[in-house]
Amino acid sequence: MAGHPAVEEPSAARSAHEGILRRQSARESAARTYARALPIVPVRARGLTIEGADGRRYLDCLSGAGTLALGHNHPVVLDAIRKVLDSGAPLHVLDLATPVKDAFTTELFRTLPPGLADHARVQFCGPAGTDAVEAAFKLVRAATGRNGMLAFAGAYHGMTSGALEASGDALDVRVARLPYPQDYRCPFGVGGPHGAELAARWTQSILDDPKSGVPLPAGMILEPVQGEGGVLPAPDEWMRRMRQITADRSIPLIADEVQTGVGRTGAFWAVEHSGITPDVMVLSKAIGGSLPLAVIVYRDDLDVWEPGAHAGTFRGNQLAMAAGTATMAYVRENDLTARAATLGARMLNQLRSLAREFPVIGDVRGRGLMIGVEMVEAEGERAGEGRAGGANDADRSAGLCTDGPSNAGGASAAVTPGAVPSPRPASPELATAVQRECLRRGLIVELGGRHASVVRLLPPLTITDEQVTAVLDRLADAVAAVARSHGPGGGRHQQQHRRRGGSGGEGAG
Ligand code: PMP
């Protein structure tokens, strides 16, 4: 813990912690994920704070991969769970009606975009987000009698086979993949409104060209902000274009709000930013208030399913429904969506200042409390070898992307006048180093993005101003440490950071 006061760790606690980690790596699958990058053993948690078996405390900006809208163990969630337990209600009821489920559906429908709320149906699915994605595909295939699906480059929809087919790293003939608009690594090399317009035109031409090789699909699935894909907020105008293109061709539009839902992006559902009404919404994570729950909601005229067409044993998790009802109601009643918008804007601003200090930060982007910091190779390392074009300043200032990139430091200097600057190559190594340095400073962050080069922040919507400051201090300190150890191109003001020393320590803010 160089430069940071380590908490005195009782040796018994330390060895219990190490024993658990050792047994985990000896017994659990090689496919384990978060556990590799985050060798901690959580034993207690409250709000933003997790305490490990070794006594160390962390600020948790992973939040169960964006699940914990209210942070860990929020009192209203615990109360709701206790009430069900104390009431003697059955905990397992398949898909039978219960008062708990009735209250959940009422609260959920209350939040839906107006165009959907009046005509909505809900299907309770198996408990994971990926189960709901499968259900959505099955529903639109049944409703349209068609088979193919449109999805977007960089998408992440889950790990079951249909969801995987629609995600970025799979190949399947039933899924046609389209360009998702992004400024920093725009596939067309222009970014901004122009890049988004080209992406929309590409989609339209695929659908209208009888020789495109893409037959009329059963549906289009999109994330309003790509999360795992690197925190890419879709421009509102592009969202409206997708709505128009699909509506004109009777293609059901599926919004995957598994990660963006329940206030995270500064609107209760992220589709509200653009004002569109999707035909199907895929919901999970935060709607279960930290317990497993997944549903699809959709327009009732798509409800062509026969009884039993989509079944499953675990579709009636009463505790999750109670926790989810309490979470959604709390977010709504306390206007945490507005809070997420305000805090997110503040965090983006400060992170953009940090990016101006440290050229290893290529881009800062996000919406609400869904924030990404893309790490790139430092100046001097392979300068001028950027892979994709970045947006020029005119495009950026035109503002199609609400929270588009702002960091000129991320673009290679080797650009001819008038040409679009190319971003430097993504650096998964630096991102991993930042994640590690954050952990040393008591901050948990996730990595994502095409090249696993994006440091992701998904704090709970209940995070306080002081905690935001502590999170940003620790992150800044971690970036400074990484830039320092990566040579002279890493940071412009490393001395300043070295002197300041960040918030450090293990105590949660
Ligand atoms: N869709 C999106 C947008 C997601 O972010 C995720 C999970 N990160 C999923 C679907 C899959 O959810 P689950 O891991 O619960 O299956």
Side-chain angles (χ1 to χ4, degrees), residues 266-288:
F268 201 95
W269 305 110
V271 289
E272 291 167 23
H273 291 296
S274 60
I276 68 158
T277 305
D279 302 297
V280 184
M281 289 173 68
V282 182
L283 313 177
S284 187
K285 292 198 195 271
I287 63 158

Side-chain angles (χ1 to χ4, degrees), residues 1 4-5 34 37-40 47-52 56-63 72 347 351 354 371 373 431-447 455-460 463-464 466-480 482 500 502-509:
M1 294 301 298
H4 293 276
Y34 302 103
L38 304 169
I40 61 175
L48 182 68
T49 308
I50 285 185
E51 190 183 319
R56 292 192 63 199
R57 287 158 61 109
Y58 303 87
L59 303 181
D60 179 15
C61 281
L62 172 56
S63 297
H72 293 275
M347 291 178 80
L351 289 167
L354 192 69
I371 292 171
V373 176
T432 303
V434 169
Q435 186 185 41
R436 196 172 46 239
E437 290 298 325
C438 283
L439 195 67
R440 282 163 59 93
R441 289 160 176 77
L443 174 65
I444 298 173
V445 295
E446 187 176 10
L447 297 187
V455 176
R456 301 187 60 205
L457 298 172
L458 292 160
I463 189 172
T464 64
E466 297 71 34
Q467 287 173 329
V468 166
T469 303
V471 165
L472 292 178
D473 275 355
R474 291 179 196 195
L475 179 58
D477 212 35
V479 170
V482 169
R500 191 178 63 178
S503 67
E506 318 304 313

Side-chain angles (χ1 to χ4, degrees), residues 87-426:
S87 74
L91 296 180
H92 191 287
V93 292
L94 299 162
D95 69 347
L96 301 183
T98 68
V100 173
K101 186 193 226 183
D102 188 55
F104 173 84
T105 306
T106 302
E107 182 61 39
L108 176 67
F109 277 28
R110 188 170 183 168
T111 69
L112 291 180
L116 194 54
D118 301 339
H119 315 279
R121 291 270 164 179
V122 59
Q123 165 75 19
F124 288 83
C125 305
T130 198
D131 299 316
V133 169
E134 299 288 347
F137 289 175
K138 202 165 149 187
L139 177 82
V140 295
R141 283 180 171 135
T144 61
R146 305 190 288 256
N147 198 22
M149 202 60 62
L150 300 177
F152 291 89
Y156 184 83
H157 299 293
M159 283 279 164
T160 51
S161 67
L164 205 54
E165 282 165 18
S167 301
D169 53 0
L171 290 172
D172 187 270
V173 289
R174 287 198 303 172
V175 175
R177 203 162 320 279
L178 300 164
Y180 191 88
Q182 52 173 316
D183 284 355
Y184 187 59
R185 296 188 188 279
C186 173
F188 305 105
V190 291
H194 190 201
E197 170 59 22
L198 292 175
R201 275 198 216 174
W202 179 257
T203 295
Q204 197 166 330
S205 75
I206 288 279
L207 289 168
D208 292 346
D209 178 353
K211 298 288 181 195
S212 69
V214 178
L216 194 63
M220 169 190 281
I221 184 165
L222 58 75
E223 295 156 90
V225 180
Q226 280 193 351
E228 309 301 328
V231 194
L232 299 166
D236 294 341
E237 182 52 32
W238 178 85
M239 290 285 286
R240 289 190 280 270
R241 287 291 300 278
M242 292 305 107
R243 176 64 287 187
Q244 194 61 46
I245 288 170
T246 49
D248 288 349
R249 294 159 183 78
S250 301
I251 301 168
L253 178 63
I254 305 166
D256 180 343
E257 291 245 22
V258 166
Q259 193 164 138
T260 49
V262 192
R264 174 144 307 277
T265 69
F268 201 95
W269 305 110
V271 289
E272 291 167 23
H273 291 296
S274 60
I276 68 158
T277 305
D279 302 297
V280 184
M281 289 173 68
V282 182
L283 313 177
S284 187
K285 292 198 195 271
I287 63 158
S290 74
L291 297 177
L293 188 63
V295 303
I296 53 172
V297 287
Y298 51 95
R299 252 197 7 251
D300 52 8
D301 60 300
L302 292 171
D303 200 29
V304 298
W305 270 339
E306 297 293 327
H310 196 71
T313 304
F314 288 110
R315 293 180 297 142
N317 190 331
Q318 300 294 289
L319 296 181
M321 287 173 192
T325 307
T327 299
M328 289 189 289
Y330 192 87
V331 169
R332 180 175 54 74
E333 286 160 6
N334 293 279
D335 203 9
L336 292 188
T337 53
R339 174 110 183 115
T342 308
L343 287 181
R346 178 183 149 200
M347 291 178 80
L348 284 175
N349 265 338
Q350 288 186 236
L351 289 167
R352 282 172 182 154
S353 302
L354 192 69
R356 283 189 284 276
E357 281 183 55
F358 292 102
V360 288
I361 298 180
D363 193 26
V364 171
R365 53 187 180 251
R367 202 156 200 182
L369 290 175
M370 200 167 169
I371 292 171
V373 176
E374 179 161 347
M375 305 304 296
V376 294
E377 288 182 5
E379 271 169 341
E381 289 175 40
R382 297 165 61 187
E385 284 182 30
R387 289 179 193 129
N392 61 33
D393 286 341
D395 280 339
R396 283 173 186 156
S397 60
L400 188 75
C401 263
T402 317
D403 288 314
S406 60
N407 174 33
S412 159
V415 175
T416 45
V420 171
S422 295
R424 288 195 302 280

